[in-house]
Amino acid sequence: MSDFNPQSPTILYGQGDRLKVLRLILSSLDQPDQAYSIFHIAGTNGKGSTSTMLQALLVGHHLRVGLFTSPHLNSECESIQVNGQQISEGDYIACQQKIAQSVLALGLDPDQDLSQFEWTFLIAMVYFRQCQCSWVVLECGVGGELDATNAISHAEYAIFTKIGLDHLNLLGPDLQIIAATKAGIIRPHTRVVIAPNQPPQVRGVLKDRIQVRQAILVDSHGLQVDHRQVRLADGTSFKVDLGLKGTYQDENLTTVLTAYQDWLAGRGEALEIQRINQALKSVSLPGRYELVQDQPVVLLDGAHNLDAIQELCLSLGEDFSGQRLAIVCGFLQDKDVRHIVEKIGQLPADFYLTQPDFPGRAMPVQQLQALFEEVGIPALAFEDPNQAVDQALASGLDPVVVMGSFHLIKRVRRRWVHG
């Protein structure tokens, strides 16, 4: 639910030519997106982490850098940041009012003709110009080609994090179709960075689009990251002090440093290890392997598709080897929940099932419990997420892991983090 646009539709993706509408609005606002250079980021998993790390590195060069990410956990203001500072409610409303004037002048209904996500995107574009940002890190919401963020007129970089199966009802039934949709953000002469370990069919689709668009594939030059230990092609090796946790961040860090090296080369600058560590040591991202309590350890992770769940399981297995976990989980109905249950069921854990706070899309906890029963895993069920957390904390197990839909994470995170 939106704090600022509660009457607007939640989503209008794929309903008519959304990009035409958004481009008309941007044009009426004198193209705010042309006031800065853009890193455009698409993918299934890792977009938020990649975007946040990249912004931190650019800010380390004393630049004004905008960051647009989703989803938010508490307020749309979280989605719009400049140099790590969220837009204020007052600035959000002021930008919204300015845009509303243009929307009305175009004969559109501000309450019905723009989705909540489209509103936040437009406000970000106007706000970043207002703040005189020189660079913007722009994360796609869903897909790529038809995503609201693709209404921009240019991007210097297109970055692709790990692409997997998610949002099948919107993006298509298989990896090649999903990859082709995400590849739609590649523009002529854009510099393109592809995350390592992409499935071969995904890499093939992206490379084909690069060739068709006459874009430029950025070479990683053999850069490798293993447990935060970075090795460059010239043999240089150093440890990165990264605030973000989880073994899966190695892949995101590889993607970020590949883009960053190329960006530095374009500026005629050399990579500085101290600058990297200074920028990345305090990076954090709500709901992504987030530690919110120490005794017992409580982690919150919004892994809600099979690829993300697999990466989360690897991190838990490495960080808590030999320990029995207490897992609280809940998912939306349109996810591949059966295979997710089969995967997390392999963890040494007691399960406390619940349902996200999303009427109409949340999988009822009884249905989730039935899936656990089908694979022979006993689990307790609670309609109220906080009751599930209470029982997990009372179990005496350490750690307690809350995973699944961001709508679940948002509901329970308030116990530990306010604002």
Side-chain angles (χ1 to χ4, degrees):
M1 178 61 70
S2 169
D3 292 332
F4 300 97
N5 308 288
Q7 297 175 330
S8 297
T10 303
I11 188 170
L12 290 172
Y13 183 95
Q15 297 183 30
D17 192 344
R18 303 305 308 157
L19 295 184
K20 181 179 180 180
V21 173
L22 293 168
R23 285 168 179 155
L24 279 172
I25 297 171
L26 288 173
S27 178
S28 73
L29 294 165
D30 297 324
Q31 295 295 157
D33 57 303
Q34 293 182 7
Y36 33 76
S37 300
I38 297 175
F39 283 90
H40 201 183
I41 300 181
T44 304
N45 297 309
K47 297 192 301 294
S49 299
T50 297
S51 299
T52 304
M53 282 190 271
L54 187 55
Q55 184 210 32
L57 287 169
L58 299 186
V59 169
H61 290 262
H62 309 292
L63 301 173
R64 292 187 68 77
V65 183
L67 174 65
F68 178 77
T69 61
S70 62
H72 63 270
L73 289 180
N74 297 301
S75 164
E76 287 98 326
C77 291
E78 297 169 30
S79 293
I80 304 172
Q81 300 180 23
V82 173
N83 286 25
Q85 296 297 313
Q86 294 178 19
I87 185 174
S88 68
E89 290 189 5
D91 284 336
Y92 191 104
I93 292 170
C95 290
Q96 182 182 39
Q97 290 173 342
K98 179 177 182 178
I99 295 165
Q101 292 175 0
S102 292
V103 170
L104 288 168
L106 290 169
L108 300 172
D109 182 345
D111 289 333
Q112 296 301 318
D113 291 333
L114 289 173
S115 71
Q116 294 170 9
F117 181 80
E118 290 167 347
W119 264 114
T120 308
F121 161 68
L122 290 169
I123 289 166
M125 296 296 95
V126 169
Y127 182 67
F128 294 150
R129 178 175 63 183
Q130 178 180 307
C131 291
Q132 298 182 317
C133 292
S134 53
W135 281 87
V136 164
V137 181
L138 183 64
E139 178 191 332
C140 288
V142 175
E145 185 169 20
L146 300 179
D147 186 67
T149 62
N150 211 30
I152 57 174
S153 58
H154 75 105
E156 280 62 35
Y157 283 85
I159 298 178
F160 295 92
T161 64
K162 189 69 170 291
I163 293 175
L165 296 173
D166 199 6
H167 301 294
L168 306 188
N169 56 322
L170 297 175
L171 303 182
D174 61 54
L175 273 178
Q176 284 184 293
I177 293 175
I178 291 173
T181 299
K182 294 182 184 293
I185 70 168
I186 297 175
R187 292 171 165 77
H189 314 301
T190 300
R191 303 186 71 78
V192 181
V193 178
I194 302 175
N197 306 320
Q198 294 279 13
Q201 61 268 49
V202 168
R203 183 170 289 273
V205 168
L206 295 177
K207 285 190 171 182
D208 287 347
R209 184 64 64 93
I210 289 170
Q211 185 174 8
V212 168
R213 290 288 196 174
Q214 295 183 311
I216 303 156
L217 177 61
V218 175
D219 191 341
S220 67
H221 299 292
L223 187 151
Q224 296 179 329
V225 181
D226 184 19
H227 291 79
R228 311 299 193 272
Q229 190 73 32
V230 178
R231 179 174 292 277
L232 304 179
D234 63 4
T236 302
S237 181
F238 59 94
K239 189 85 168 182
V240 171
D241 183 10
L242 180 61
L244 296 172
K245 306 305 178 186
T247 57
Y248 54 85
Q249 294 295 356
D250 280 353
E251 183 169 330
N252 296 328
L253 183 57
T254 304
T255 306
V256 168
L257 291 180
T258 298
Y260 180 56
Q261 273 195 130
D262 189 75
W263 180 82
L264 285 172
R267 291 166 57 91
E269 297 182 32
L271 184 147
E272 298 178 27
I273 297 170
Q274 184 176 358
R275 191 194 291 268
I276 290 173
N277 279 316
Q278 185 67 30
L280 297 183
K281 67 181 181 180
S282 59
V283 169
S284 63
L285 199 58
R288 278 77 161 189
Y289 212 73
E290 180 185 16
L291 177 67
V292 292
Q293 181 175 309
D294 291 318
Q295 293 184 341
V297 167
V298 178
L299 291 170
L300 310 181
D301 196 283
H304 57 269
N305 57 61
L306 191 55
D307 280 348
I309 289 289
Q310 289 171 338
E311 293 294 340
L312 174 59
C313 289
L314 287 173
S315 292
L316 292 172
E318 183 164 313
D319 292 343
F320 303 102
S321 177
Q323 295 175 237
R324 189 164 186 83
L325 319 175
I327 293 180
V328 178
C329 60
F331 304 95
L332 300 184
Q333 295 188 72
D334 60 358
K335 305 303 176 184
D336 187 8
V337 181
R338 179 178 297 278
H339 287 108
I340 288 174
V341 169
E342 290 175 356
K343 183 62 183 178
I344 62 177
Q346 298 172 22
L347 291 169
D350 290 354
F351 292 92
Y352 303 83
L353 312 182
T354 188
Q355 54 199 32
D357 188 10
F358 199 150
R361 286 189 62 195
M363 173 173 282
V365 67
Q366 295 82 3
Q367 187 177 340
L368 180 58
Q369 188 177 35
L371 290 177
F372 271 80
E373 290 173 352
E374 286 178 19
V375 296
I377 301 173
L380 299 176
F382 305 87
E383 291 188 2
D384 182 348
N386 281 301
Q387 288 185 3
V389 172
D390 287 340
Q391 290 299 310
L393 290 170
S395 69
L397 294 175
D398 188 352
V400 173
V401 182
V402 184
M403 66 168 68
S405 169
F406 276 108
H407 297 279
L408 169 62
I409 302 300
K410 174 180 179 179
R411 175 76 179 274
V412 304
R413 189 174 182 268
R414 299 167 187 157
R415 297 170 66 114
W416 296 279
V417 183
H418 303 285

